Amino acid sequence: MSLAQPMDPEAIREMRQANQKMRDRDFAAQFNISEAQLVAAYLGEGVTQISADLDMVFPRLAALGEVMALTRNASCVIEKVGIYSDYRPGKHASMVLTREIDLRLFPRHFVTAFAVERSSDAGIRRSLQFFDAAGDAVHKIHLRAASNLDAWAALISDLALGEQEPLLEVTPRQPPEAAKADPQKAEQLRLEWAKMTDTHQFRQLTSKLKMNRLGAYRIAGAPLVRQLDTGAVDTLLHAIRDQGTEVMIFVGNPGCIQIHAGPVQNLRSMGPWQNILDPGFDLHLRLDHLAEVWAVNKPTQSGDAISVEAFDSAGQVIFQVFGRRDENRDHRPEWAEIVASLPSLTTSTSDQRPLRATEAAQ
C-alpha cells in the first residue's frame, strides 16, 4: 500500500460523508488511506491530536474511571471494560496490570494519538486512539457512561499538541515477517527448548537460532508442538465455555498485546466471526482467517505452559490461549485435557506447508 501522497482532508471528509455506514478501518482500506489519516482529517471537528508519549498519557487514564480498552489485528478484536489504575513504564515495554485491563505496550509503535468526540444516535462517543507510523491502530480507549468527563477535558487541554495538522503523513506499512527457521538446527532447538524454565526464554532461544515463533513450531515436532486442524479453534472455545475452564487469551499487534484472564461464557457465531460476548469482555475472531493452529508445550519451573496459537496466511499471530496461570503454577490439568482432545491436522506438517528457501535462516 503506497501512502506517499496524503489525500486532501476535505476529500476524505466528502468520501466519508458518502460512506457513513462503513467502519473506519474498512473505509480506510477501501480508499487506500490509513485509519490515522481518516481521523486526522477531522481535526478541529471533534478531534484533537494529543501527545503519543505513553508516560504522559497513561498515568492520567485512571482518572477517567471506567472505560473500554480495545486492541485488534486484522483477524481478531478484544475489548475489556475496566480502569487503567496500574501503569508501569518501561523503555522498551510498558504495562497496565489490573484484573480487567492487562496490557503489554511497546512505546516505539505509539507514534500518533488523538482524542475523538463523535455524535451518534446514543449521544457523543469519546475515545483515545493510538496509531503507529503507518497509521494503523495500535490501541483504543472508549469512554463509557460512568467515565469522568472532567478528567477527559483536562487530559485534552494538557496534552493537546500545539500544531493541529489535518494532513497527516505516514510511512509505508512494513511487510510481515514470514516463518523463519533452519532445519539443520532443529535438534539444537529441541534440546534447548526442553531445558527452558520460563516461557519468556522462548523468544531468546529463537532469536539466538535466527528463527521466529512459527518457523520454530514447524520444525520442532512432538512432544513440543502438534499442528491442529483449524477447526480446532472453534472446538476449543466451546470446550472452554462448556467446562468453565479459566484461560488467558492474548490478542495483539506489534504495538500492544491485550490479555483476558478468566472464563468464557457466551459464544455467538455470525458469518465468519465467532464472538465471545460476556459482561465486560468481548472478543471477535475471524475463523476464516485461520491458516495454521498449533498446540505448544513450553516447560517452566512451575509446570508445563500449554498453549493453542493461531496464525494467519502471512504467518502472523492471530491469538494465543493458555490455561489461566497464577504465581504458583503454569500447568492446569483440566486445560491440558482440553488441548489433548483437539483434532490434529491430518496432513503432516512437512507435506502441508514446507519451508521455502526464502523462509530458512541464512
Side-chain angles (χ1 to χ4, degrees):
M1 172 173 141
S2 174
L3 297 169
Q5 297 296 325
M7 186 178 296
D8 179 77
E10 184 176 352
I12 293 176
R13 294 194 297 270
E14 290 177 356
M15 289 191 302
R16 193 67 173 113
Q17 182 66 27
N19 297 272
Q20 297 183 38
K21 294 184 178 181
M22 295 181 69
R23 295 182 181 274
D24 282 3
R25 184 183 177 93
D26 297 334
F27 175 88
Q30 179 167 320
F31 291 96
N32 197 34
I33 61 173
S34 73
E35 189 177 348
Q37 288 172 315
L38 170 59
V39 176
Y42 288 88
L43 283 172
E45 299 182 21
V47 176
T48 304
Q49 188 170 0
I50 64 171
S51 171
D53 185 334
L54 299 188
D55 292 347
M56 294 183 66
V57 179
F58 274 66
R60 304 186 60 136
L61 298 180
L64 297 177
E66 183 182 87
V67 296
M68 187 267 279
L70 183 152
T71 305
R72 71 171 301 155
N73 54 53
S75 306
C76 195
V77 186
I78 184 171
E79 304 169 7
K80 293 278 291 186
V81 174
I83 299 174
Y84 285 72
S85 58
D86 188 4
Y87 172 66
R88 303 185 185 186
K91 182 177 180 181
H92 301 293
S94 301
M95 297 184 287
V96 175
L97 294 174
T98 72
R99 179 178 175 84
E100 293 81 17
I101 299 182
D102 189 352
L103 306 173
R104 306 295 178 269
L105 308 161
F106 305 98
R108 69 185 182 90
H109 292 282
F110 285 72
V111 175
T112 310
F114 301 95
V116 180
E117 295 185 332
R118 289 177 177 169
S119 297
S120 71
D121 294 340
I124 297 178
R125 295 182 176 179
R126 299 174 174 87
S127 63
L128 297 174
Q129 303 188 20
F130 302 88
F131 299 91
D132 64 15
D136 292 331
V138 176
H139 186 60
K140 296 183 180 181
I141 302 165
H142 292 266
L143 273 64
R144 292 168 58 83
S147 300
N148 186 327
L149 297 187
D150 289 337
W152 164 261
L155 184 153
I156 296 174
S157 176
D158 293 344
L159 299 184
L161 299 187
E163 294 185 9
Q164 300 284 314
E165 175 53 62
L167 189 66
L168 182 68
E169 294 189 6
V170 297
T171 62
R173 186 178 297 121
Q174 296 299 309
E177 181 182 62
K180 183 172 64 174
D182 185 348
Q184 294 182 352
K185 296 180 180 178
E187 186 60 26
Q188 182 182 359
L189 171 68
R190 297 185 193 106
L191 289 173
E192 297 196 32
W193 187 326
K195 296 177 182 178
M196 287 196 308
T197 58
D198 187 286
T199 56
H200 296 95
Q201 295 169 355
F202 183 75
R203 184 179 181 88
Q204 300 170 1
L205 172 59
T206 55
S207 177
K208 182 180 76 171
L209 298 179
K210 294 183 170 54
M211 303 183 190
N212 60 15
R213 180 183 300 272
L214 182 55
Y217 292 171
R218 288 184 182 175
I219 66 172
L224 302 173
V225 298
R226 178 169 64 96
Q227 189 168 8
L228 305 178
D229 185 278
T230 56
V233 168
D234 202 38
T235 302
L236 170 71
L237 294 175
H238 281 85
I240 294 169
R241 180 198 64 184
D242 295 344
Q243 298 183 31
T245 303
E246 293 199 349
V247 294
M248 299 179 70
I249 302 177
F250 294 68
V251 178
N253 53 60
C256 181
I257 298 171
Q258 186 165 331
I259 305 164
H260 163 73
V264 169
Q265 299 171 349
N266 301 294
L267 292 175
R268 183 181 300 173
S269 298
M270 298 179 66
W273 295 90
Q274 179 58 278
N275 304 280
I276 301 173
L277 304 174
D278 289 349
F281 166 48
D282 286 0
L283 184 137
H284 312 287
L285 172 66
R286 284 287 298 258
L287 295 175
D288 59 330
H289 285 189
L290 302 174
E292 293 184 48
V293 181
W294 295 85
V296 183
N297 189 329
K298 297 187 181 79
T300 78
Q301 288 182 327
S302 51
D304 291 342
I306 296 172
S307 61
V308 172
E309 307 185 20
F311 297 80
D312 64 19
S313 59
Q316 301 304 289
V317 177
I318 295 175
F319 82 146
Q320 301 167 295
V321 188
F322 290 79
R324 187 173 185 181
R325 305 189 296 270
D326 58 35
E327 56 191 20
N328 297 315
R329 61 173 180 164
D330 278 327
H331 181 66
R332 288 183 175 270
E334 64 276 19
W335 165 248
E337 291 175 4
I338 290 175
V339 176
S341 71
L342 297 174
S344 297
L345 185 70
T346 54
T347 307
S348 70
T349 303
S350 58
D351 292 337
Q352 173 71 11
R353 192 179 290 270
L355 280 169
R356 301 187 299 273
T358 55
E359 294 177 313
Q362 300 299 318

